[in-house]
Amino acid sequence: MENVLKRSWPKNLPKKLVYREGEKPLHEYLAQNAREHPHEIAYIYYGNEITWKQLNDEVNRLAHFFKLKKIAKGDCIALYMQNCPQYIISHYAIQKIGATVVPLNPMYKESELKYFFNEVEIKAVIAAQELHPRLQNVLKDEGLHCLVISTNYADYLPKDSSSITIPLPDELKLEKQTLFGAFDFVEVIQKTSPLEAQENINLWEDVGLLVFTSGTTGRPKAAMLTYGNALFKTASTVQTKAYDETVTTTAISPLFHIAGMLVGVNIPIYSRCKTILMTRFDPEAAVTAVEKYKINKWYTVATMNMAILNLPGVEKRDLSSLKVNFATSFGIPVNEQLAEDWKKLTNGCILAESSYGLSETHTSDTFMPLDKIKFGTVGIPTYDTKVRIVDLETGKDLPPNEKGEIVIKNPGVFKGYLNRPDATKETLKDGWVHTGDIGMIDDEGYLYFFGRVKEMIKSSGFSVFPEDVEALMKEHEAIEQVAVIGVPDPMRGESVKASIVLKPEYKGKVTEQEIIDWAKANMAAYKYPRSVEFRDELPATSAGKVLRRLLKE
């Protein structure tokens, strides 16, 4: 199988991975950028140009503030906000002192936050202003005490409103508030001197990131990723996809998500490319950014491309600076038709599947050779990466062109799940990650992804786990039993459907729509059920295990 995996390796791509400035944490790459290219632009946020010197200086100031507040190496700090410069500054300030970044999806509601705060001992939270009330409710209800820093996205807009270059989303129009019980991000930066001491980091052992993921099943678990995991996946992605200081790109995908983090937080620091940072995707704003800044390489999900293709009057816009577009098939497949439509709109831009990966491997385990794009696949394994396809029953290796479970081993593989030895043992075996995904490798070494062994739902690009939704639904006083499945949805790929057995005293007194409305108020937007059916009973085994597959039939 090893020979097959290398069969389509691009001829012009070095066979060995070379770290640009050696094996060291990414925050040291940032410091080097600041020393050697202090006035070069690193990020642009709706017109506000942030240099490497400014970025590194603010990272050092925030890191010093953490130290002054007795936050130490190994402590966990949560980031609860949408894309903004504050996110990137916070990420590297946390890692600068050897602490651990814990990204939290800004769509999470109180019930979800409570779960995460009980899973991980969080010493501090940096939260966006509009999310502060949710956070305070959780801290109060759970009796938790931690350092809270609040921030308003607009604090990092250009000082002169006439300098704003891209249409603003509503979140950036909120009036700044002084919030009780929270430090203000900008004040912290202004009033704290830069950190001078350097924390000693064990690159391949120290955990720099905890990403909540359910792996192949269950409620979310915290995957422990090292500083070295991040460096390896950043370096391998940069080398296979040719990012360097001549590239102008975007950070549009959510930074809290491992793929968005790799593209928007890690790659710019390592490669020294210029990055246009946007709080969230909007087709008009994205097109304006391409025209204004001559973006030449970017990452999208396929639904973004479709939204731009459907933007009124887009055929009259100038997107010709775009040369390469790596995209992920979330909701809509990256197929030949989409690629042709995109090439025509942009006057030649190549559109190809970005990669296959998962949180437990710091994503991006494969890449698509641009000299030999094969639609319907997720490309070939990246540097130092072994991929096997194993039989679901026996666990034995399968030959090319046979479907089985995808199993992966490389330097991006995580250390395990925090405080979950059984789950770790089930997923991580002798350094191999058993992904729970069904795949196949063809004769040319390309990997195909067909779906999940378990019953994970993919909605609008997000992973939705039935057990997680069911646990949250059970908090409703009327629900006796609940099982959720994914059903086809032309816009989201899949939507969540809940089958519910009501408690006897609530039958006839609560409607399906009331359940949906409650779920919408208590869960992230991508997660709550779009449809509900009431049943007298759920299909189950004699032992009481619900058979979700029968709900699909």
Side-chain angles (χ1 to χ4, degrees), residues 244-260:
D244 59 24
E245 67 277 7
T246 68
V247 168
T248 300
T249 189
T250 56
I252 299 177
S253 294
L255 301 182
F256 65 81
H257 188 276
I258 194 69

Side-chain angles (χ1 to χ4, degrees), residues 104 110-122 138-139 141-144 212 219-220 222 418-420:
L104 296 176
E110 283 89 341
S111 295
E112 294 156 312
L113 290 175
K114 288 178 183 178
Y115 173 81
F116 297 123
F117 274 83
N118 283 303
E119 283 292 301
V120 176
E121 185 181 354
I122 293 173
V138 170
L139 297 178
D141 290 349
E142 299 296 300
L144 299 173
F212 276 105
R219 295 203 76 183
L418 181 69
N419 300 326
R420 298 292 183 91

Side-chain angles (χ1 to χ4, degrees), residues 469-485:
V469 177
E470 289 161 7
L472 292 164
M473 293 290 289
K474 287 292 289 290
E475 294 181 12
H476 192 290
E477 59 185 5
I479 295 176
E480 178 77 31
Q481 283 185 291
V482 58
V484 304
I485 59 171

Side-chain angles (χ1 to χ4, degrees), residues 64-77:
H64 192 196
F65 179 79
F66 290 144
K67 296 284 279 188
L68 293 173
K69 295 300 179 182
K70 308 301 181 185
I71 292 174
K73 183 177 180 179
D75 287 342
C76 294
I77 302 178

Side-chain angles (χ1 to χ4, degrees), residues 10 74 112-113 141 162 165 167 177 240 291 314 339 365 434 442 488 500:
E112 294 156 312
L113 290 175
D141 290 349
S162 65
T165 55
Q177 298 176 354
T240 55
E291 290 182 315
V314 71
D365 296 300
H434 290 249
D442 68 14
I500 293 170

Side-chain angles (χ1 to χ4, degrees), residues 261-278:
M261 186 185 307
L262 180 65
V263 172
V265 178
N266 300 151
I267 286 176
I269 302 303
Y270 181 90
S271 70
R272 238 183 73 221
C273 65
K274 182 190 297 180
T275 303
I276 314 307
L277 176 64
M278 299 170 68

